[in-house]
Amino acid sequence: MKNIKLLILGILFGIVLSKAEIISWYRIYEMFKFQSFHMYGIIGSAVVISFFLMQLFKKGIIKDEAGNKIKIQEKEKDFKRTFFGGTIFGLGWALSGACAAPLFALLGYSFLPAFIVLIGAILGAFVFGLVSKKLLN
Amino acid sequence: MDFILQPWPWYVAGPLIALVLFLMFYFGKKFGVSTTLETFCTLSGANKLSNYFKNDLKTQKWRLFFAAGIFLGGVIAANFLTPNQSVNLNPDTVLEMASLGFADGGKTFLPKEIFSLEALLSVKGFLILIGAGFLIGFGSRYAGGCTSGHSITGLSSLQMPSLIATIGFFVGGLIMTWFLIPLIF
């Protein structure tokens, strides 16, 4: 039952990504060319609203459904890792016009080509896993 | 009803994404999609090759349901909620696309020069698709998150690593869009 809730939440997220054209290659190109406010408005407003939610989580005003305090995991402080990893990700984001979540929604629009991108992404995650020990030391 | 069928503006989409984030945390999970790629690796048997992928699949199962939902959301939106797939781009963007050889800039969500069977079946087109995917998968795991985990969850909880990652996303994206895409196409 718990997983069904996440399936439904995923459906909502997939529809939002599609209907707001976040999955459109052109929208990502336009964003990186600073030719439209659209994507900045989406990410910016999501961050601002989430900032207030995070405050409510931290203060324990909003708890999770089981009544536990919601904790936000601290991201690892490693400049090299986040910066270079981020840059590599950005190259792929701009070339494919999709970040991780849109990859799944795109399958509904352009099945085979999007499937190849997804396979590439899984391969990329796999290769990272294999070399992670060397890269992170 | 018509409102749903039109493209959704940023001030509808942004708050809805924050709602998704809220519900993820409310359900005791977190808002991060790229880890799902690792779950797929574990599912495919990568745990036999590297300890990195030795995760308890039971605790990761929710990710597969969430990803399956995103896929279904895309299918629903594509088939029932998007009667017109044209994207209202900046006219400058359309002109630039044309000069790069993209014929129908913004007439559909995706350029057929990248996302079509024809492109897929060419060596160059195939390499673009699988290579772009590889960069997304490798980079997001190296960075420890993607747009959802770093740029939204991390930035909104004021985490420095997420700011650095997001700057990295833009450095990579700008290099690709301004310098490499004109070379590739």
Side-chain angles (χ1 to χ4, degrees):
Chain A
M1 205 34 222
K2 259 202 129 162
N3 286 327
I4 298 301
K5 280 191 286 194
L6 284 150
L7 182 83
I8 293 167
L9 192 54
I11 293 175
L12 169 70
F13 190 38
I15 291 175
V16 174
L17 291 169
S18 306
K19 285 303 303 173
E21 301 170 340
I22 299 164
I23 62 164
S24 166
W25 188 92
Y26 296 110
R27 282 291 188 201
I28 305 305
Y29 180 90
E30 198 185 37
M31 167 179 82
F32 284 126
K33 280 279 180 166
F34 304 107
Q35 286 165 336
S36 161
F37 178 71
H38 185 74
M39 287 298 302
Y40 295 99
I42 291 173
I43 298 174
S45 60
V47 169
V48 170
I49 297 168
S50 301
F51 167 76
F52 290 106
L53 290 170
M54 295 292 174
Q55 299 302 312
L56 297 172
F57 293 162
K58 262 183 208 162
K59 293 191 175 120
I61 295 170
I62 298 179
K63 292 189 163 64
D64 73 10
E65 60 179 347
N68 299 318
K69 191 166 189 246
I70 297 172
K71 284 188 188 127
I72 310 299
Q73 206 185 353
E74 293 268 322
K75 293 277 186 190
E76 201 183 320
K77 289 191 179 74
D78 180 339
F79 177 84
K80 198 180 103 186
R81 175 175 187 174
T82 42
F83 183 75
F84 291 109
T87 303
I88 295 169
F89 172 81
L91 291 167
W93 187 12
L95 181 57
S96 71
C99 47
L103 273 182
F104 297 101
L106 268 183
L107 292 168
Y109 282 80
S110 170
F111 189 78
L112 267 181
F115 185 69
I116 299 299
V117 186
L118 181 61
I119 294 293
I122 294 171
L123 272 176
F126 173 64
V127 171
F128 173 74
L130 295 184
V131 300
S132 65
K133 266 195 180 154
K134 279 181 191 160
L135 271 179
L136 298 180
N137 279 336
Chain B
M1 235 351 241
D2 192 52
F3 175 75
I4 292 176
L5 298 179
Q6 297 294 320
W8 296 0
W10 64 265
Y11 50 82
V12 172
L16 281 173
I17 291 173
L19 174 71
V20 172
L21 170 138
F22 168 72
L23 288 170
M24 291 299 273
F25 282 106
Y26 180 71
F27 291 152
K29 311 296 182 213
K30 46 194 162 180
F31 188 49
V33 179
S34 67
T35 313
T36 313
L37 299 171
E38 283 177 6
T39 310
F40 276 111
C41 292
T42 309
L43 262 185
S44 322
N47 50 339
K48 293 182 190 101
L49 288 167
S50 164
N51 286 332
Y52 182 86
F53 295 106
K54 284 212 166 77
N55 291 317
D56 185 5
L57 272 178
K58 269 189 205 146
T59 62
Q60 302 293 318
K61 218 164 133 194
W62 65 272
R63 295 185 184 281
L64 300 174
F65 279 86
F66 187 59
I70 298 173
F71 163 64
L72 284 176
V75 171
I76 292 167
N79 292 292
F80 306 109
L81 303 175
T82 321
N84 177 1
Q85 254 202 44
S86 67
V87 182
N88 190 12
L89 296 173
N90 183 329
D92 292 343
T93 310
V94 179
L95 283 178
E96 278 182 25
M97 297 295 7
S99 71
L100 287 172
F102 288 74
D104 303 317
K107 284 193 184 145
T108 51
F109 274 15
L110 304 166
K112 62 177 185 304
E113 287 77 5
I114 302 175
F115 288 92
S116 64
L117 220 48
E118 221 182 317
L120 169 63
L121 293 175
S122 71
V123 175
K124 184 179 158 186
F126 180 80
L127 290 176
I128 289 174
L129 291 167
I130 200 137
F134 190 92
L135 293 167
I136 296 169
F138 188 93
S140 61
R141 293 328 304 147
Y142 190 9
C146 60
T147 330
S148 51
H150 269 312
S151 303
I152 300 186
T153 308
L155 283 187
S156 65
S157 56
L158 307 181
Q159 299 201 45
M160 189 47 106
S162 295
L163 180 64
I164 296 166
T166 304
I167 292 171
F169 297 167
F170 266 82
V171 170
L174 293 175
I175 293 172
M176 179 56 72
T177 304
W178 289 77
F179 302 110
L180 300 179
I181 283 178
L183 291 176
I184 295 171
F185 296 98

